[in-house]
Amino acid sequence: ATAQIGVTGLAVMGRNLARNLARNGFTVAVHNRSPQRTRSLIAEHGDEGAFVPSESLTDFVASLERPRAVIIMVKAGGPTDAVIDELVPLLEEGDIVVDCGNAHFADTRRREEALRGHGLHFVGTGVSGGEEGALHGPSIMPGGSDESYAKLGPIFEKIAAQVDGTPCCRHIGPDGAGHFVKMVHNGIEYADMQLIAEAYDLLRAGLSASPAEIAEIFRDWNGGELESFLIGITADVLAHTDAATGRPFVDVVLDQAEQKGTGRWTVQSALDLGIPITGIAEATFARSLSGHADQREAARRAFPDAGEKWQVDDRETFVEDVRRALLSSKIVAYAQGFDHIRAGSREYDWNIDLGGTATIWRGGCIIRARFLDRIREAYDAEPELPTLLVAPWFADAVSAGVPSWRRVVADAARAGVPTPAFSSSLAYFDALRAERLPAALIQGLRDDFGAHTYRRVDRDGSFHTLWAGDLSEVEA
Ligand code: 6PG
C-alpha cells in the first residue's frame, strides 16, 4: 500500500481533484466504475504526479495506506450510497470515507452515523469552484470528526486555493456541518447571481444599453467594493457574441434558469430553522418563475404594457445607484446566509466559526469576493454579532447605499421591471430597522379568530381578549 489518499469517481470533478492531489506531491489511488476513465486519466495526465490506478474497488482499497482516506466523487443521492455500500465491507476501523459531492447535509448526517457504527469516519465535504477550482485550488469545507481532519487537513489545506498565505479550507464541524455550509454557499451563489441579473436588467432597461456596454460597467465595478469572481464572469458573458447569429450571446440563450437543487435545499432548511433568507428564497423562486413558460406567455398577452416608459436622465447617477443597490442587497443576502449558518450550527451543535467560514470563501469558490475579508473581520471582532448588517463596514456601506437602493427599486416598480431580490432585500432591511412592525396586528387577528393569545408591551404573560364577548382581556 503506497497511496496516501484515493479518489473513486473520475468524472471531471473527481479527475481534476485527483490531478490536483498528484500535482501537490501526494500519491493518489484512482478508481472508476468503468475502467476506461481511469485509463484515460493515466494516459493523459499520468506524468503530472504519482497515481496508483486500480480497476477493481478491492485493489483500489488495498493500494491505500492506513488509515485509508477514500474520496467519493460521484452523483449525490443514490449513486453515493451505492459506492458507500460497496466500499464499507472493504475498509477497516479508523478508515475515512470522504464524500466530496453536493450531498444534502441530512444525508451526510445519516451516513456519518451509519459509518460510525462500523468504526469508520465519514466526512461530508463541500467543494466549490467547479472544474477549474478542483484542478487549481478549490474552497474545501470538510465536516466530520476531529480525528479524520488530523489526516485530511494537511492534504486538503495544501490542494485548496490560498489567499494571503491562508488555505481556503478548514474543519467546519462534526458530521453534516461541511455540507450544510456548502449548501448555504450555494444559496448565496443563487442570490448573488439573481442580484447580478437584476442589475443587468435594470441597466439594460434604464440606459437602453447593449450587453457589451453593460459588460464594461461590470468590468468597472469589478475594480471596486463589488470585486468578485461572479462580477468578473458576468462581464465576460455579457461581452460574448454568438458566433452563429452575430447577436449578443445573452440574447440567444433561453431565459429559463435551471437548478440542481442546492438553492432549494437552502430555502427548505431555512424555513425549518425559522431564518428569513429572503434574498436566497427570491432568487430560487425567480429561477422557478422563469421556467413557467405557459404562465409567462399568458400573462404577457393579458398585460402587454404594465409599466411606464423608463426615462433615465442622469446616466452616471443611475449606474452608481444600481451599483449601490446591488452592494446593499448583496450584503443582505450574506447577512441572511450567515444567520442561517449560525442557526444550523446551534440546532445541530456544530460550533461553526462564522469568521473562519468567511475566510475559506475568499478564494477558490464561486462566491469568492473581496468583501469576504470584511465578513471575517466583522465576526472576528464580535462573534455574537446580531446581524452582519450592523458591523461597522457593512453598516456604512448600507447607509451610504440606502437612497440609491430606494430610487432603483421605486423606479423599477414604476417602469414594471421585476426586481424580486433587490426589492425584497430592501423590504427586509426596512423591516429589521422598523420601530414597530404590523406583526402586532397579526397577533390580534390570530387571537380574534383562534384565541391564539398575544403578549403585551407593558406586562409579562400571555393574554386573550374575549372578542365574541364583552371585549375584556383575560390572562391566558
Ligand atoms: C460550486 C457550485 C456547484 C453547483 C453549481 C450548479 O460551488 O462549485 O455551487 O457546486 O453545483 O453551481 O448549481 P445549480 O445547477 O443548482 O445552479
Side-chain angles (χ1 to χ4, degrees), residues 318-341:
F318 177 66
V319 171
E320 178 58 8
D321 277 352
V322 175
R323 190 191 69 83
R324 286 175 184 254
L326 175 55
L327 181 62
S328 301
S329 305
K330 184 175 158 121
I331 290 171
V332 165
Y334 278 73
Q336 295 177 340
F338 275 84
D339 284 352
H340 189 187
I341 294 177

Side-chain angles (χ1 to χ4, degrees), residues 166-180:
T166 305
C168 294
C169 171
R170 62 182 283 136
H171 186 206
I172 303 288
D175 59 82
H179 273 143
F180 185 90

Side-chain angles (χ1 to χ4, degrees), residues 102 127-130 182 185-186 189-190 193 258-263 287 365-366:
N102 266 333
V127 178
S128 177
K182 175 61 180 20
H185 164 283
N186 280 27
E189 174 185 304
Y190 277 45
M193 286 162 67
E258 296 172 33
Q259 54 180 304
K260 287 203 275 294
T262 45
R287 288 196 192 188
C365 65
I366 304 296

Side-chain angles (χ1 to χ4, degrees), residues 5 43 56 81 130 140 151 173 204 213 241 248 312 343 347 370 382 387 395 445:
I5 189 157
S56 78
D81 280 317
I140 309 181
K151 160 115 188 180
R204 195 148 183 192
E213 288 165 331
T241 302
V312 169
E347 173 73 15
R370 183 198 276 198
E382 202 185 332
T387 161
L445 297 174

Side-chain angles (χ1 to χ4, degrees), residues 125-323:
T125 300
V127 178
S128 177
E131 299 167 20
E132 284 299 297
L135 183 59
H136 300 292
S139 172
I140 309 181
M141 297 151 248
S145 62
D146 290 343
E147 265 168 286
S148 59
Y149 197 77
K151 160 115 188 180
L152 296 172
I155 302 177
F156 282 171
E157 288 177 18
K158 189 137 186 233
I159 67 160
Q162 313 283 323
V163 175
D164 304 333
T166 305
C168 294
C169 171
R170 62 182 283 136
H171 186 206
I172 303 288
D175 59 82
H179 273 143
F180 185 90
V181 162
K182 175 61 180 20
M183 175 189 78
V184 177
H185 164 283
N186 280 27
I188 294 174
E189 174 185 304
Y190 277 45
D192 239 346
M193 286 162 67
Q194 175 65 23
L195 291 168
I196 286 172
E198 289 178 19
Y200 149 76
D201 207 24
L202 286 163
L203 293 170
R204 195 148 183 192
L207 300 174
S208 303
S210 70
E213 288 165 331
I214 300 168
E216 286 315 308
I217 296 172
F218 274 91
R219 263 206 228 295
D220 185 47
W221 287 353
N222 208 26
E225 293 159 314
L226 280 170
E227 182 188 323
S228 61
F229 170 70
L230 284 170
I231 295 277
I233 64 168
T234 299
D236 298 343
V237 172
L238 288 176
H240 183 53
T241 302
D242 175 53
T245 59
R247 294 170 61 196
F249 166 79
V250 77
D251 286 348
V252 300
V253 176
L254 190 68
D255 59 345
Q256 298 182 15
E258 296 172 33
Q259 54 180 304
K260 287 203 275 294
T262 45
R264 185 175 66 239
W265 292 347
T266 315
V267 179
Q268 285 168 337
S269 154
L271 287 171
D272 289 342
L273 294 167
I275 303 299
I277 53 163
T278 53
I280 297 170
E282 287 295 351
T284 308
F285 286 132
R287 288 196 192 188
S288 310
L289 186 154
S290 76
H292 290 288
D294 292 354
Q295 288 186 327
R296 288 176 59 191
E297 172 65 27
R300 196 160 52 234
R301 265 196 256 112
F303 312 105
D305 281 314
E308 293 169 13
K309 171 113 191 60
W310 194 323
Q311 192 105 47
V312 169
D313 303 321
D314 182 343
R315 294 170 75 89
E316 219 172 290
T317 305
F318 177 66
V319 171
E320 178 58 8
D321 277 352
V322 175
R323 190 191 69 83

